[in-house]
């Protein structure tokens, strides 16, 4: 958990989430760790909130650890505040304040919590005052109540800790006595102090400190110093001099609220750059607004991007700019689809599989016996052998076959269920179904089939598996080999990947036969053997959903075979498939990956035997696998390939 908190403090939200998710799994499977479950849940809640997803933390709030309870109440209050539920936010912050007030004399840590609790409660009162209608006589008294308490608490917070620009700004909105200019001068200095604070625990808070500093500069501008202060403010809205941190726009988009949307409008009005990337994830402010489901923030950011593009566009390029804006919106929604599908649906299954792999490698004999008993029925179902000898399962190879099969089946079910749920909710399909070709049909076809030939069959919806209407669909437990290969047809106007000699088709046939004969592959019933290859399994007339699904399809295949040649790693599509495959195999130990290469001379590892034969070898780890400098037949595909490359970070 300490490692997860360190990553969280540095703003590495995806990495932090993965660490805490692993910790939660261990708390739920190892009895001695069960008491730590609520602390882990609290940490997961903080990560989700900071990463743009408001997780309900109420389950974690029952923890008996008072410090943890105080922190969770603080997070609950923050989530409620960002949802504009200010009365509930005030109640949560009041509970935090009550706990901290009782224990503030114990040590420095509790005094810091008490200081934060005062600030939280003060801002809750401030926002409650803004929320109420001062024209209503009854409400006016309540507004004055919240005004007075906010001023008192904000001043107390300022006296207790490092001055906060937001506190000064809030007082300038509430205090009619000293005036706005007095408090804004203090706001500029307070924000500058926050930006200059050197301590490492401020890394995740720095973007907002920079925003409030830039904002204070803009609010302090007058006719004499306006241009200079605006230029200085715009520098604060970037991360040029702190490239390891996120920008203020990203920080605001991560936590949707009326307040943050108002700040985003200020950034757009000031001309802030909204295209900067999160250095840890590659996501933009638009991505985080889409992740959070905040359509209002999404519209604000899109408007800002439109203004940026128009400022550099030529005459009569409005349509071009609008197309670019729409492309960015589409890609952001696609990234959300990946994030939800992989992180929420597929990754928990892969983590469980990795944990079982770890237990088999390092667990006791009792642990191994329990794993075998748990899943032997799955093996019998797949092999169709009611007399399968359990003693065979004691070998590492047989257990790993079993674990992989169980994982693959679970992944396919989760993917199919998620697609079905998506169709029911909005009817819009972002990713294509898993499709595959029966190997016996492929072997008889004589060439690489096209999608329009109709050989590729979709995975049957799991809701229909018991209906007996499987014609035209594959079931769930087929063994699928994914082929990664280079298109070698160089004829002008070619619309098929193979040459006149059907070289790639023949290589695939030879590769499958070699795979079936390989000592490390499982026994596969012929009727359950299928293959996936892009030309047949991605709709060539409407490929968008098939291309988008590529990382998710690879994750559901049992094996990947790369038809390698001298030019394979020069091609961008080949490299992105290899990168995705290697990431899935090396981290989760589910995929098996082989390369088909020219046969070597006896005793030689690198010299071909000149016979023209091919042999299948286990693919070793490739240390420097990159898309830099790779080639594409259609350069217009470059954004798609680069987008898929970035998704490897999510797969990890």
């Amino acid at each position: 958990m300490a490692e997860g908190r360190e990553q969280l403090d540095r703003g590495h939200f995806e990495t932090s989430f993965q660490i805490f998710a692993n910790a939660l799994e261990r708390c739920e499977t190892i009895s001695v760790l069960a008491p730590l479950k609520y602390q882990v849940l609290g940490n997961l809640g903080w990560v989700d909130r900071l990463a743009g997803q408001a997780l309900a933390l109420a389950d974690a709030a029952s923890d008996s650890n008072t410090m943890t309870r105080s922190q969770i109440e603080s997070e609950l209050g923050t989530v409620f505040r960002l949802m504009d539920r200010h009365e509930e936010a005030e109640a949560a912050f009041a509970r935090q304040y009550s706990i901290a007030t009782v224990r503030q004399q114990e040590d420095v840590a509790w005094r810091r919590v008490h200081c934060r609790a005062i600030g939280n409660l003060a801002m809750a009162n401030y926002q409650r005052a803004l929320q109420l209608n001062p024209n209503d006589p009854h409400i006016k008294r309540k507004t004055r109540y919240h005004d007075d308490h906010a001023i008192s608490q904000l001043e107390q917070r300022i006296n207790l800790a490092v001055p906060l620009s937001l506190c000064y700004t809030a007082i300038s909105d509430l205090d009619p006595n000293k005036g706005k200019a007095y408090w804004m001068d203090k706001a500029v200095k307070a924000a500058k102090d926050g930006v200059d604070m050197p301590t490492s625990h401020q890394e995740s808070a720095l973007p907002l400190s920079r925003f409030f500093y830039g904002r204070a500069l803009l609010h302090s501008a007058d006719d004499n110093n306006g241009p200079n202060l605006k230029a200085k403010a715009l520098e604060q809205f970037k991360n040029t001099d702190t490239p390891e941190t996120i920008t203020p726009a990203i920080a605001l988009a991560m936590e949707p609220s009326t307040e943050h949307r108002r700040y985003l409008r200020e950034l757009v009005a000031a001309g802030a750059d909204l295209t900067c990337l999160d250095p840890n994830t590659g996501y933009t402010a638009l991505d985080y607004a889409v992740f959070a489901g905040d359509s209002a923030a999404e519209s604000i950011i899109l408007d800002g991007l439109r203004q940026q593009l128009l400022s550099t566009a030529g005459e009569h390029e409005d349509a071009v700019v609008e197309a670019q804006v729409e492309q960015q919106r589409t890609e952001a929604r696609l990234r959300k689809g990946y994030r939800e599908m992989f992180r929420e649906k597929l990754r928990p299954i892969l983590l469980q599989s990795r944990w079982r792999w770890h237990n088999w490698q390092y667990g006791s004999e009792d642990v191994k016996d329990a794993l075998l008993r748990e899943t032997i029925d799955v093996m019998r179902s797949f092999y169709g052998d009611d007399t399968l000898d359990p003693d065979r399962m004691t070998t590492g190879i047989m257990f790993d076959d079993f674990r992989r099969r169980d994982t693959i089946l679970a992944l396919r079910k989760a993917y199919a269920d998620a697609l079905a749920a998506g169709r029911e909710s909005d009817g819009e399909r972002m990713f294509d179904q898993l499709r595959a070709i029966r190997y016996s049909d492929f072997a008889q076809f004589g060439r690489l089939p096209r999608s329009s030939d109709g050989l590729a069959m979709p995975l049957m919806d799991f809701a229909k598996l018991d209906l007996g209407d499987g014609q035209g669909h594959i079931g769930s437990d087929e063994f699928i080999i994914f082929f990664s290969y280079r298109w070698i047809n160089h004829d002008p106007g070619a619309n098929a990947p193979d040459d006149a000699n059907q070289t790639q088709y023949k290589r695939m046939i030879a590769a499958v036969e070699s795979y079936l004969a390989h000592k490390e592959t499982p026994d596969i019933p012929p009727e359950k053997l299928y293959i996936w290859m892009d030309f047949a399994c991605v709709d060539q007339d409407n490929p968008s959903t098939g291309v988008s699904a590529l990382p998710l399809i690879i994750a559901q295949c049992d094996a990947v075979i790369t038809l390698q040649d001298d030019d394979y790693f020069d091609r961008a599509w080949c490299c992105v498939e290899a990168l995705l495959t290697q990431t899935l195999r090396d981290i989760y130990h589910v995929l098996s990956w082989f390369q088909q290469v020219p046969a070597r001379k006896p005793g030689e590892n690198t010299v071909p035997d000149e016979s023209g034969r091919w042999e299948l070898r286990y693919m070793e780890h490739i240390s420097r696998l990159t898309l830099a400098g790779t080639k594409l037949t259609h350069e217009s595909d470059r954004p798609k390939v680069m987008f898929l490359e970035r998704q490897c970070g999510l797969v990890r």
Side-chain angles (χ1 to χ4, degrees), residues 137-148:
H138 174 68
I139 297 297
K140 189 171 184 179
R141 289 191 298 273
K142 294 181 68 175
T143 303
R144 188 68 256 167
Y145 166 85
H146 289 290
D147 281 353
D148 293 343

Side-chain angles (χ1 to χ4, degrees), residues 618-632:
Y618 182 76
M619 180 68 87
E620 300 292 339
H621 179 82
I622 305 170
S623 58
R624 293 184 179 178
L625 189 54
T626 176
L627 270 67
T630 54
K631 302 173 184 176
L632 283 163

Side-chain angles (χ1 to χ4, degrees), residues 601-628:
K601 289 182 178 180
E604 298 282 352
N605 192 43
T606 59
V607 182
D609 67 1
E610 300 178 357
S611 66
R613 295 183 300 107
W614 301 92
E615 65 182 17
L616 207 63
R617 292 188 171 191
Y618 182 76
M619 180 68 87
E620 300 292 339
H621 179 82
I622 305 170
S623 58
R624 293 184 179 178
L625 189 54
T626 176
L627 270 67

Side-chain angles (χ1 to χ4, degrees), residues 221-266:
D222 55 32
D223 294 339
N224 296 324
N225 60 10
N228 290 335
L229 287 182
K230 181 176 180 180
K232 196 172 182 180
L234 287 176
E235 285 301 312
Q236 297 303 314
F237 299 153
K238 298 179 181 179
N239 59 348
T240 306
D241 56 345
T242 54
E244 72 282 358
T245 64
I246 59 176
T247 64
I250 290 176
L252 294 168
M254 282 178 168
E255 302 184 58
S257 70
T258 300
E259 177 188 3
H260 283 190
R261 286 190 284 273
R262 176 161 57 90
Y263 294 153
L264 283 170
R265 290 189 187 93
E266 292 182 20

Side-chain angles (χ1 to χ4, degrees), residues 546-558:
V547 171
S548 298
L550 185 62
L552 307 171
I553 295 298
I554 293 176
Q556 297 175 75
C557 291
D558 298 88

Side-chain angles (χ1 to χ4, degrees), residues 352 356 360 368-383 388 393 398-407 409:
Q352 178 66 20
R356 289 160 69 189
W360 180 262
K368 293 180 181 180
D369 288 343
L371 288 170
L372 293 178
R373 288 193 301 270
E374 175 190 354
T375 53
I376 194 169
D377 289 342
V378 177
M379 290 293 288
R380 281 178 169 158
S381 173
F382 175 66
Y383 287 115
L388 183 66
M393 297 292 292
M398 288 301 293
F399 169 75
D400 218 34
D401 290 344
F402 144 84
R403 180 187 60 84
R404 291 168 191 249
R405 289 304 310 161
D406 196 25
T407 302
L409 296 186

Side-chain angles (χ1 to χ4, degrees), residues 77 90 115 142 184 205 231 255 272 289 346 436 494 528 604 613 639 647:
E90 183 184 359
C115 177
K142 294 181 68 175
M184 287 310 302
E255 302 184 58
L346 304 188
K528 290 185 177 290
E604 298 282 352
R613 295 183 300 107
Q647 302 320 298

